[in-house]
Amino acid sequence: MLKREKLRLGKGQSSRFEQGAAAFLKKLKASWQDFRYEFDVRIVQPGLSRKAITNEGLHLLAGVETYLMETRAMRFRVIGSE
């Protein structure tokens, strides 16, 4: 982001930062190791119902959850209509 911003400003174009500035991004980059990050995956499917999902669908979701936990240590959540 910083490189693209520098190139953009070097061409005389306006900044792409809508809030903040490159200086804050540089400060954040310098201290990134001080932060702890957690990621998760959420699927939102309003038409999905606990009552109507098939065993094949449950096995698929369980496989996705297992894969995410084992490979990326990411939690998985499905949000449906019921």
Side-chain angles (χ1 to χ4, degrees):
M1 288 175 62
L2 291 170
K3 183 178 177 182
R4 287 193 307 260
E5 179 72 1
K6 184 178 179 180
L7 291 172
R8 185 173 182 77
L9 294 176
K11 293 178 183 177
Q13 297 174 331
S14 62
S15 173
R16 295 290 292 173
F17 284 97
E18 292 183 21
Q19 281 191 317
F24 178 74
L25 192 57
K26 288 177 187 177
K27 182 180 175 184
L28 188 63
K29 181 182 174 187
S31 63
W32 72 272
Q33 293 175 339
D34 298 337
F35 296 98
R36 180 178 174 193
Y37 299 95
E38 290 183 17
F39 297 96
D40 64 350
V41 174
R42 296 174 189 209
I43 295 175
V44 179
Q45 187 64 41
L48 182 65
S49 167
R50 287 184 184 185
K51 298 173 187 173
I53 193 165
T54 64
N55 279 337
E56 291 84 8
L58 290 173
H59 285 288
L60 175 65
L61 294 175
V64 170
E65 181 179 33
T66 301
Y67 175 79
L68 290 171
M69 284 300 292
E70 290 180 356
T71 60
R72 303 286 183 216
M74 295 172 71
R75 290 189 294 172
F76 178 64
R77 183 170 178 192
V78 178
I79 301 169
S81 59
E82 292 181 31

